[in-house]
């Protein structure tokens, strides 16, 4: 249940490491837990996963001590509400460019008084109606994470205002989409400078700023740079890399002598 989930940004935990989950099988979540990841992000934006898949991944992750986050595909109140009542610890929201958009999605996460989320206390997040209502409401208002993704020049320009929005708990800088929006490649110094400015803005606001990278070296570099959480892998690419490397090693090995 959500009440039993670890606090992802609690003092002393270190920099949390996560993986995107894009495959339907719950084995991906079990492997992530076994590997020692701190959280997963069920990716409803860039995968073919449906709500039932997300629900299953949330349940499995929760049982294994992983913090289950969900990247929703859009700024859709209905999807946000269903994901949270499934027991997700929070949401990542793509393409948040303005403070107004950030406020709108933050209000989707919080109950009235602070937001517009409807009560679904008979859901999994509410313990099927058995969890004390005050605990269900308190988790939604105090612990459920709202993490806008900053993925454009406009978003980075508006970062101070976005980070000042009540109910925003952290941000993630989407470097790939940011580069696309700028019309530059990943190594362009203008991109690096804009990312540094976003990171500095988050530090000044006292909120974690995350990033998504591929591989150990990039993750270590991001931590050294000061990022507060890192999505370091995804299940599909991990499988693809391992499979490709295996086949290449076998095919490129010298032919064994026949006996």
């Amino acid at each position: 249940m959500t009440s039993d989930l670890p606090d992802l940004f609690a003092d002393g935990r270190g920099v949390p490491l996560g993986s995107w989950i894009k495959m339907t099988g719950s084995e991906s979540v079990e492997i992530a837990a076994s590997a020692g990841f701190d959280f997963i992000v069920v990716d409803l934006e860039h995968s073919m996963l449906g709500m039932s898949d997300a629900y299953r991944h949330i349940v499995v992750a929760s049982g294994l001590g992983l913090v289950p986050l969900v990247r929703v595909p859009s700024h859709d109140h209905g999807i946000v509400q269903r994901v949270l009542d499934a027991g997700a610890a929070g949401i990542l929201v793509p393409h948040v460019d303005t403070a107004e958009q950030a406020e709108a999605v933050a209000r989707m996460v919080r109950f009235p008084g602070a937001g517009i989320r409807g009560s679904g206390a008979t859901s999994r997040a509410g313990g099927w109606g058995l969890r004390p209502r005050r605990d269900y409401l308190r988790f939604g208002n105090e612990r459920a994470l709202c993490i806008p993704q900053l993925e454009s020049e406009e978003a980075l320009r508006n970062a101070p205002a976005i980070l000042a929005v009540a109910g925003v708990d952290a941000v993630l800088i989407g470097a790939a989409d940011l580069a696309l929006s700028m019309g530059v490649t990943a190594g362009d110094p203008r991109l690096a400078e804009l990312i540094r400015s976003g990171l500095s803005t988050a530090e000044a606001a006292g909120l974690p700023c995350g990033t998504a990278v591929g591989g150990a070296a990039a993750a270590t570099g991001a931590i050294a740079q000061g990022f507060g959480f890192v999505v370091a892998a995804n299940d599909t690419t991990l499988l693809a890399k391992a499979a490709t490397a295996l086949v290449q090693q076998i095919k490129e090995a010298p032919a064994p002598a026949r006996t």
Side-chain angles (χ1 to χ4, degrees):
M1 298 300 171
T2 50
S3 58
D4 301 321
L5 294 174
D7 184 348
L8 189 62
F9 298 127
D11 292 340
R13 281 183 61 94
V15 176
L17 292 177
S19 175
W20 303 108
I21 301 296
K22 298 173 178 283
M23 300 171 70
T24 59
S26 59
E27 292 85 355
S28 289
V29 181
E30 293 185 276
I31 291 168
S34 177
F37 284 103
D38 300 296
F39 67 97
I40 58 165
V41 186
V42 180
D43 190 0
L44 297 185
E45 183 190 18
H46 290 299
S47 78
M48 296 300 105
L49 295 179
M51 196 64 71
S52 294
D53 302 312
Y55 188 41
R56 182 172 58 254
H57 290 335
I58 290 167
V59 172
V60 172
S62 301
L64 295 173
L66 283 168
V67 176
L69 304 177
V70 176
R71 174 159 69 177
V72 295
S74 62
H75 303 190
D76 186 302
H77 180 202
I79 293 175
V80 170
Q81 182 157 293
R82 293 183 69 193
V83 161
L84 293 174
D85 275 339
I91 58 168
L92 277 73
V93 186
H95 302 292
V96 175
D97 295 321
T98 67
E100 291 75 18
Q101 290 175 339
E103 181 177 7
V105 295
R107 286 177 57 78
M108 295 175 194
V109 176
R110 314 298 171 200
F111 293 106
I116 59 171
R117 179 179 168 187
S119 175
T122 57
S123 65
R124 181 173 179 274
W128 319 117
L130 303 180
R131 184 179 182 186
R133 184 175 177 82
R134 64 181 178 277
D135 292 345
Y136 167 70
L137 297 176
R138 184 182 299 118
F139 188 93
N141 282 337
E142 298 178 6
R143 287 277 308 280
L145 297 172
C146 177
I147 306 176
Q149 293 185 190
L150 311 182
E151 303 180 275
S152 68
E153 290 184 89
E154 180 184 11
L156 269 296
R157 286 196 302 270
N158 291 326
I162 291 171
L163 283 154
V165 169
V168 167
D169 300 292
V171 293
L172 182 139
I173 297 178
D177 278 324
L178 180 57
L180 282 174
S181 78
M182 297 173 67
V184 302
T185 60
D188 193 291
R190 291 170 293 174
L191 176 65
E193 178 56 35
L194 201 54
I195 291 172
R196 280 194 296 269
S197 74
L199 180 57
S200 296
T201 301
E203 289 175 344
L207 294 179
C209 179
T211 187
V213 299
T220 302
I223 293 169
Q225 193 176 350
F227 282 97
F229 62 104
V230 178
V231 187
N234 72 78
D235 54 358
T236 51
T237 300
L238 287 172
L239 176 60
K241 284 183 175 179
T244 301
L246 174 66
V247 172
Q248 287 179 341
Q249 288 172 12
I250 294 170
K251 290 188 173 182
E252 292 173 1
R258 294 191 176 188
T259 58

